[in-house]
Amino acid sequence: GRTGSNNTANSVETTKIADELGVDGFLIVGPYYNKPTQEGYYQHFKAISECTAKPIILYNVPGRTAANIPPATVARIAKDFKNVVAIKEAAGNVAQVAELFRILPADFTIYSGDDGLLLPFASVGATGVVSVLANIGGEILQDLMNAYESGDVKKAAEINKKMVPLANAMFIETNPIPVKAAVTLVTGIDAGAPRLPLTPMTEGALAKMKGILAENGLI
């Protein structure tokens, strides 16, 4: 369940409700807009982790929250709260992923939060991706990781060369506008229009995305 918000009390309440409904775990975003202190981040995740025994993935996405959760704070949270087991790292910073890998426990999992950065992130310790592209084309990401983990870095780079334009196509306009349209095109299942304040894709962006999907045999 994705139950995090910028209101700690609300996050705790929502997490408890989702826990009672039987979800397997939680993806908890760093509080947005508020720009907490590092102690504020720690206390936020402390409150949420103590209200559930289920595993928690911390989600660091400063491009949407307006503030970064640095590795030292992530490591402090991971050390003190054993059900915080992973991070979806979407700061776009390879050096930060390397530092996370250096200081976090060996059993703590680092996921890339960006499809297009999966390969460079994997090279410094990430073990997978929480993906947008996988909604329509997860096989290419699986092939990339299989090649990399088998030691065939050159093959992984070749796959990555094909994957990145697909990943970028999912961000022609604000995510998740393009991927909703792509799901409809690729699967035939009508994913519908996004809710305001997100708006349907413009004709120009849609045509460009269709071209990239067609080039890759997805439509």
Side-chain angles (χ1 to χ4, degrees):
R2 188 167 173 174
T3 57
S5 74
N6 69 335
N7 178 321
T8 304
N10 176 262
S11 298
V12 168
E13 180 181 1
T14 307
T15 299
K16 287 179 178 178
I17 292 169
D19 196 340
E20 291 171 1
L21 291 173
V23 302
D24 294 323
F26 298 94
L27 179 66
I28 306 294
V29 71
Y32 42 86
Y33 184 77
N34 299 351
K35 301 178 81 170
T37 64
Q38 297 312 305
E39 183 63 23
Y41 281 125
Y42 178 85
Q43 294 297 333
H44 179 79
F45 284 99
K46 177 179 188 289
I48 296 169
S49 70
E50 288 179 344
C51 82
T52 179
K54 301 284 180 62
I56 290 170
I57 299 176
L58 189 157
Y59 181 17
N60 184 38
V61 57
R64 290 185 182 263
T65 65
N68 184 51
I69 309 174
T73 298
V74 177
R76 182 185 175 202
I77 292 166
K79 177 177 180 290
D80 290 350
F81 311 112
K82 299 305 180 185
N83 59 333
V84 180
V85 298
I87 184 169
K88 177 183 176 183
E89 176 55 54
N93 187 329
V94 177
Q96 180 156 290
V97 176
E99 180 65 4
L100 285 166
F101 186 68
R102 186 183 75 83
I103 65 176
L104 283 164
D107 60 351
F108 194 93
T109 303
I110 302 168
Y111 295 109
S112 173
D114 298 289
D115 294 302
L117 292 175
L118 172 56
L119 184 57
F121 279 15
S123 72
V124 292
T127 58
V129 59
V130 180
S131 175
V132 174
L133 179 60
N135 288 282
I136 60 161
E139 293 84 358
I140 194 168
L141 294 162
Q142 186 67 53
D143 290 345
L144 190 158
M145 284 305 297
N146 284 341
Y148 180 80
E149 290 180 354
S150 70
D152 194 341
V153 177
K154 186 174 181 180
K155 180 179 179 182
E158 289 298 320
I159 296 169
N160 190 67
K161 186 165 65 175
K162 297 177 181 178
M163 183 274 290
V164 168
L166 276 169
N168 290 343
M170 298 301 100
F171 291 84
I172 290 174
E173 292 183 347
T174 302
N175 177 54
I177 293 172
V179 74
K180 281 181 69 68
V183 165
T184 299
L185 291 168
V186 172
T187 70
I189 299 169
D190 186 358
R195 291 179 293 182
L196 288 172
L198 300 181
T199 52
M201 288 188 81
T202 60
E203 287 300 319
L206 182 60
K208 184 176 180 181
M209 186 181 73
K210 283 181 176 178
I212 295 169
L213 295 177
E215 287 173 12
N216 287 273
L218 290 173
I219 58 173

